[in-house]
Amino acid sequence: MPSNDARILLHTVIPTAAVGAIATVVSAVVAGGKGALGAVVGTLLVLLFMGIGQVVLQRTAKSLPHLFQAMGLMLYTAQLLLLFIFLALLKNTTLFDFKAFAFTLLATTVVWVAAQARAYMKAKITYIDPGNTGSKS
């Protein structure tokens, strides 16, 4: 993974994990052990889905740059649908506190998207290939 991509991933994972840790502590205080477990599961789920999505998006940008924007929109839609499916499937679970899980899932998803947008805005990504002069020699 190029350093720019790794830097963007790092700038999205750290705030998301921090919010997940805060949510875990709050959930533990409010709902006990099951609340903490729900918050941890929600945080890990977001980190897994969004992290895989970031890697897929970067590989798409390298191999098919003309599809980058469409792939990004499709990927975010698919990620949100998968998260909603998990919410629907785990709605009646007794393994952990569902409210802690759902609120953590929501909070960490919002933080991931905001941190990713900020990281891309702050990144100095060249959009012109300096090695390609346009001449055919």
Side-chain angles (χ1 to χ4, degrees), residues 8 11-12 15 111-124:
I8 288 172
H11 286 294
T12 55
V111 167
W112 179 282
V113 171
Q116 189 177 28
R118 184 178 188 281
Y120 272 111
M121 288 184 341
K122 295 286 184 182
K124 294 182 177 19

Side-chain angles (χ1 to χ4, degrees), residues 15 31 84 93 114:
F84 284 130
T93 188

Side-chain angles (χ1 to χ4, degrees), residues 50-97:
M50 297 297 190
I52 290 171
Q54 181 73 22
V55 171
V56 168
L57 194 58
Q58 292 308 321
R59 288 192 180 181
T60 300
K62 301 278 184 281
S63 60
L64 303 166
H66 58 285
L67 294 178
F68 181 71
Q69 186 176 14
M71 183 67 169
L73 292 171
M74 190 273 314
L75 186 65
Y76 282 131
T77 304
Q79 287 172 332
L80 291 177
L81 285 173
L82 280 172
L83 291 175
F84 284 130
I85 288 170
F86 267 91
L87 281 172
L89 289 175
L90 298 173
K91 186 177 180 181
N92 297 320
T93 188
T94 58
L95 296 173
F96 50 78
D97 185 55

